């Protein structure tokens, strides 16, 4: 529960580093999702009719960046407001999108694993158990909010 100042700074710090390399990391993040759960591929509209993960797909990049950013920003809001808040959109809308795409609870574990591995690879020496804990907490809070919304709308 909760999100400490230290955790917030760890998430912010890693996001600052990852920002510089966001195209590559977005692709890596998505590749990891499909490595862990190949069947998830068919859910993504931007991958329909392609056999491979497009190496330079602007839609894929934009989506993946949003997910990264949202996790980071909602972590910050979590400290400031004490609840999950997402920018540009609403949790209701996020719930609706994921419900419609057939996203279920176990998928969230897949995305979590892929996210943590992406951050780990990106941070290299700076990666620590504490940083892992911070990203885990940030992601779990956001994931729980989306899952609750999916359940409310289903
Ligand atoms: C769409 C975020 C978890 C699959 C989206 C969109 C956002 C988002 C922002 C809308 C993208 C856009 O229209 O620009 C998140 C966040 C997650 C999460 C923050 C976790 C905290 C998941 C999981 C899955 C998933 C677990 C299942 C593997 C999808 C799919 C779409 C989508 C299939 C629709 C993409 C399309 O074809 O247009 N997600 N997502 N998401 N998400 Fe997630
Ligand atoms: C949407 N939701 C979750 C994860 C994603 C990764 C890449 C592109 C879109 C995504």
């Amino acid at each position: 529960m909760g999100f400490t100042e230290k955790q917030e700074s760890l998430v912010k710090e890693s996001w600052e580093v990852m920002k510089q390399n966001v195209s590559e990391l977005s692709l890596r993040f998505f590749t990891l999702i499909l490595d862990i759960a190949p069947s998830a591929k068919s859910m993504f509209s931007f991958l329909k009719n392609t056999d491979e993960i497009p190496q330079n797909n602007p839609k894929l990049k934009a989506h993946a960046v949003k997910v990264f950013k949202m996790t980071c920003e909602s972590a910050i809001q979590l400290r400031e407001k004490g609840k999950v808040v997402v920018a540009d959109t609403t949790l209701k809308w996020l719930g609706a999108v994921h419900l419609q795409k057939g996203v279920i609870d176990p998928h969230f574990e897949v995305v979590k694993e892929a996210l943590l591995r992406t951050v780990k690879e990106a941070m290299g020496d700076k990666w620590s158990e504490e940083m892992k804990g911070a990203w885990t907490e940030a992601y779990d809070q956001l994931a729980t909010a989306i899952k609750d919304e999916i359940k409310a709308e289903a």
Side-chain angles (χ1 to χ4, degrees):
M1 269 292 288
F3 199 64
T4 66
E5 207 167 315
K6 174 75 183 169
Q7 287 177 316
E8 179 185 3
S9 73
L10 285 168
V11 169
K12 271 186 177 164
E13 179 195 323
S14 33
W15 175 242
E16 285 306 315
V17 173
M18 294 193 292
K19 254 186 200 165
Q20 295 159 25
N21 205 8
V22 88
S23 302
E24 206 179 296
L25 293 175
S26 304
L27 195 61
R28 184 67 188 135
F29 175 40
F30 200 73
T31 305
L32 285 168
I33 293 175
L34 298 191
D35 278 357
I36 303 169
S39 62
K41 183 173 169 281
S42 60
M43 293 199 284
F44 292 90
S45 59
F46 46 79
L47 293 185
K48 282 213 180 99
N49 313 315
T50 46
D51 287 335
E52 286 166 68
I53 297 169
Q55 295 300 300
N56 211 346
N57 184 325
K59 278 197 183 162
L60 166 56
K61 183 189 159 191
H63 281 70
V65 172
K66 252 193 203 176
V67 177
F68 260 141
K69 255 187 132 160
M70 211 177 253
T71 307
C72 182
E73 281 164 2
S74 80
I76 292 157
Q77 298 291 312
L78 205 55
R79 264 193 57 70
E80 288 175 0
K81 305 217 169 106
K83 59 171 186 177
V84 172
V85 178
V86 291
D88 299 335
T89 174
T90 62
L91 279 169
K92 236 181 193 31
W93 178 76
L94 275 179
V97 169
H98 292 93
L99 174 65
Q100 195 248 326
K101 295 287 175 177
V103 175
I104 50 171
D105 281 8
H107 291 132
F108 282 90
E109 293 305 307
V110 172
V111 170
K112 173 156 91 176
E113 184 60 34
L115 178 79
L116 292 174
R117 277 203 236 166
T118 305
V119 182
K120 182 179 187 199
E121 288 179 15
M123 296 308 289
D125 288 351
K126 287 199 177 134
W127 176 255
S128 63
E129 278 305 306
E130 232 186 334
M131 190 175 273
K132 181 181 181 179
W135 277 94
T136 300
E137 184 67 27
Y139 176 87
D140 283 346
Q141 297 271 0
L142 181 55
T144 300
I146 298 174
K147 283 192 269 191
D148 286 350
E149 212 38 73
I150 292 175
K151 283 179 195 113
E153 292 174 36

